[in-house]
Amino acid sequence: MARIVLIEAAHPLDETAPPISLGYLASFLEKKYGGLDIIITHSTKGQIPVDLSSEDIVGITAFSQNYNFALELAKNIKEHNQSVPVIMGGPHISPLPETMSEHMDVSVLFEGEETFSDLVEHLLNGFIDKSKLRDIPGLAFYEGDKLVRTEARGFTKELDTLPPPARHLMDIVPGGRLDMITSRGCPYKCIFCSSPALWEGIRYHSLDYVAEEIDFVMEKYKPTRIGFLDDLFVIHKKRFKAILAYMQKQGYHHDVSISFLARTDLLDESVCQAIKDWDCEVGLGFESGSDRVLSQLKGGKLSTSASINAINLLQKYDIKQVGTFILGFPGETMEDMEATYDFIFDNNITTGAVSVCSPLPGTSLWDDAIEKGLVSLDMDWGKLRFNEKHSLEGKILLNDSVSVKELEFMFRKINNYLQYLLVKNFSVKDLLVITRMDIPYFLRTLFSNPRKIARFAKHMIRANVLDSIVSTKT
């Protein structure tokens, strides 16, 4: 009997959360066909995670910075068994189907449930017949040297026709963190974000659908944290408030904390009133402390004053703020980056994360980088990823206004301070929930590698040192 093996190709240091996108593919297949043997797993460094037979069908997904691992995985699968169909999908291949390798038979482009299920139906009837693949919308494949793209498939208009993800196939730890998606897409077009290229506008699950899914996961998995992974959970305020009001009516706010993404200019008193009784963490794209840079990153729609207003509102209600920041935007100066550090320090946010501006496929930054010869379709995709030592050597950098050493210095300076805030403001229990670890897994992970013990101790020591510095400065 054929198995459907769905694999996320990941970096060894990536968070090993259940890939919810693959959960949606699996549940749609179960609903349409029933009785299929489906496995959801992940692979690091291109390793084949399960034994494969000639009857199996493999689907792979990967982000662009991990695409090297997807290429290696596909190669290893074909060398292991040439007859196993290898299907590529996800956020990298959708805008760049030209990057398929000879070891990938076909790609599913953009929203995948219906396209993948049609492709599986074709494959269950035997080998890949590329003449018949032309009749399935939403695919790409090579015939010789020619890339064939079939007719584009429209996005699913009624999201409620898609069943919730097949969590029973995902490695979910009861009593830990669990993720949900209640909408798809984002109406904004931030220059660094590929979401607008992957989705068509924004679409919502109905309130009844969301309520039923929440009741199910609360009963079955009893999570201590629900992370709403919508691109912008708060975009439809009336709906946002209705979801939280339902959860609160059910008494879930006593048992579970929540996290979600918002936008600084969408936060107001009514939003904060809706979450004031929750243990809540709000993710915000502050991005920069420089109005000049922020305006370019966000398309001229936001200012640092909106960021400060959002922080003040959340702090008024004692709600955690987790900010994201981007360094290395084209034309950004040392003065701009220092403004970002000062913004973080002066506004006392709960914590956050900083990254270096990367030209992701599907963004205008990618198009600019192509024109400048900084990236190509056969590039080393690892150059879009920054390693655990935060070294920028050999990486794709878009900013020529500062030196690599200056950019590395500011990255480490901001990252170290954000790490200090993380250790200062979160308990070990909070950290375990955030990272989706239970205590036994945390201990195994920590003590399996002496370097991890040293890194953990270093963060604790750095936090204490920074605490004394900050206390002196203030």
Side-chain angles (χ1 to χ4, degrees):
M1 179 180 177
R3 292 183 307 172
I4 314 297
V5 183
L6 303 176
I7 307 172
E8 179 186 35
H11 189 281
L13 293 177
D14 283 346
E15 183 181 340
T16 56
I20 196 168
S21 60
L22 298 183
Y24 279 105
L25 290 184
S27 64
F28 194 83
L29 288 174
E30 289 180 330
K31 176 183 177 182
K32 186 171 181 179
Y33 301 115
L36 289 177
D37 186 3
I38 304 174
I39 297 173
I40 297 177
T41 184
H42 73 279
S43 164
T44 58
K45 296 185 177 180
Q47 297 173 338
I48 304 175
V50 297
D51 291 331
L52 296 173
S53 74
S54 298
E55 294 184 342
D56 293 332
I57 298 169
V58 173
I60 303 173
T61 186
F63 291 105
S64 293
Q65 59 269 35
N66 293 333
Y67 193 57
N68 285 348
F69 300 124
L71 294 169
E72 186 67 19
L73 175 60
K75 177 176 178 288
N76 290 340
I77 291 172
K78 287 297 188 180
E79 288 179 351
H80 172 75
N81 191 327
Q82 181 66 30
S83 64
V84 173
V86 175
I87 304 160
M88 192 67 210
H92 171 84
I93 207 68
S94 290
L96 291 181
E98 301 90 342
T99 61
M100 287 176 60
S101 75
E102 60 184 304
H103 306 294
M104 298 170 180
D105 295 295
V106 59
S107 288
V108 172
L109 306 182
F110 303 101
E111 194 166 66
E113 286 90 350
E114 294 185 35
T115 303
F116 187 65
S117 68
D118 288 350
L119 180 57
V120 166
E121 182 177 19
H122 169 79
L123 294 174
L124 289 175
N125 292 326
F127 62 92
I128 294 177
D129 183 344
K130 291 189 174 180
S131 65
K132 293 183 179 179
L133 291 185
R134 291 175 177 271
D135 297 328
I136 301 177
L139 296 179
F141 54 89
Y142 274 101
E143 286 187 338
D145 295 332
K146 179 184 178 182
L147 178 69
V148 177
R149 296 184 64 158
T150 65
E151 179 185 356
R153 185 185 292 267
F155 291 88
T156 303
K157 293 182 179 180
E158 298 294 333
L159 286 187
D160 284 5
T161 62
L162 305 177
R167 293 187 173 90
H168 58 285
L169 301 177
M170 300 157 66
D171 186 19
I172 296 177
V173 178
R177 171 171 171 159
L178 181 145
D179 291 332
M180 288 185 60
I181 297 176
T182 76
S183 65
R184 295 185 180 185
C186 177
Y188 299 103
K189 299 186 183 299
C190 299
I191 193 172
F192 54 86
C193 180
S194 61
S195 179
L198 298 175
W199 304 112
E200 186 179 77
I202 185 166
R203 293 159 293 143
Y204 304 95
H205 283 294
S206 69
L207 292 176
D208 287 342
Y209 181 104
V210 175
E212 184 176 345
E213 184 176 357
I214 289 171
D215 288 340
F216 173 79
V217 299
M218 288 298 297
E219 174 66 26
K220 184 173 178 62
Y221 298 105
K222 297 178 172 52
T224 53
R225 164 75 64 88
I226 292 180
F228 291 98
L229 301 186
D230 305 46
D231 283 336
L232 207 51
F233 187 47
V234 75
I235 183 68
H236 191 317
K237 292 183 183 180
K238 182 177 180 180
R239 177 179 179 275
F240 165 80
K241 295 171 191 175
I243 292 172
L244 293 184
Y246 174 79
M247 294 179 70
Q248 197 156 337
K249 180 182 177 182
Q250 298 293 94
Y252 296 147
H253 61 300
H254 298 303
D255 304 316
V256 66
S257 62
I258 59 173
S259 61
F260 59 86
L261 297 177
R263 184 176 154 103
T264 57
D265 59 347
L266 295 177
L267 283 174
D268 56 23
E269 287 281 352
S270 68
V271 171
C272 291
Q273 283 285 336
I275 57 178
K276 66 182 177 65
D277 294 327
W278 289 84
D279 178 2
C280 181
E281 188 180 298
V282 180
L284 292 160
F286 298 129
E287 314 309 358
S288 178
S290 162
D291 276 314
R292 183 182 69 84
V293 174
L294 181 61
S295 177
Q296 295 179 69
L297 287 168
K298 295 284 192 177
K301 302 296 184 181
L302 290 177
S303 66
T304 55
S305 62
S307 299
I308 294 170
N309 288 338
I311 293 169
N312 290 339
L313 261 177
L314 293 171
Q315 290 179 348
K316 173 183 174 181
Y317 290 92
D318 197 26
I319 299 166
K320 299 183 185 76
Q321 326 95 51
V322 179
T324 57
F325 300 90
I326 297 175
L327 297 180
F329 184 76
E332 186 178 32
T333 64
M334 282 293 287
E335 183 179 0
D336 293 322
M337 289 187 280
E338 288 287 0
T340 298
Y341 177 83
D342 291 341
F343 173 90
I344 298 168
F345 187 91
D346 293 342
N347 289 288
N348 194 33
I349 65 172
T350 312
T351 189
V354 59
S355 62
V356 174
C357 192
S358 293
L360 296 178
T363 68
S364 59
L365 290 176
W366 172 265
D367 297 335
D368 293 342
I370 283 282
E371 289 184 9
K372 295 176 181 178
L374 296 175
V375 296
S376 66
L377 297 180
D378 59 354
M379 65 178 283
D380 174 4
W381 299 102
K383 290 185 176 183
L384 296 178
R385 183 185 183 91
F386 300 96
N387 63 36
E388 68 273 20
K389 295 181 180 179
H390 311 308
S391 171
L392 304 184
E393 184 178 354
K395 304 302 179 182
I396 305 297
L397 301 178
L398 304 179
N399 186 317
D400 56 9
S401 300
V402 298
S403 69
V404 174
K405 287 188 178 295
E406 287 174 321
L407 184 55
E408 280 186 349
F409 171 79
M410 288 306 303
F411 181 88
R412 289 194 175 105
K413 180 178 180 180
I414 292 174
N415 184 68
N416 287 346
Y417 188 67
L418 291 172
Q419 289 291 326
Y420 152 70
L421 292 175
L422 178 68
V423 176
K424 174 187 175 186
N425 294 324
F426 286 86
S427 67
V428 172
K429 179 182 177 182
D430 288 330
L431 295 176
L432 294 181
V433 170
I434 291 168
T435 56
R436 298 177 174 85
M437 294 183 187
D438 58 11
I439 291 175
Y441 179 79
F442 172 76
L443 294 176
R444 288 197 305 272
T445 302
L446 187 62
F447 291 103
S448 64
N449 189 331
R451 290 184 180 179
K452 293 179 180 177
I453 300 175
R455 193 179 305 143
F456 185 78
K458 182 175 71 174
H459 284 315
M460 297 300 294
I461 293 170
R462 179 183 291 150
N464 289 327
V465 172
L466 280 170
D467 203 25
S468 63
I469 294 173
V470 171
S471 299
T472 302
K473 183 173 179 178
T474 55

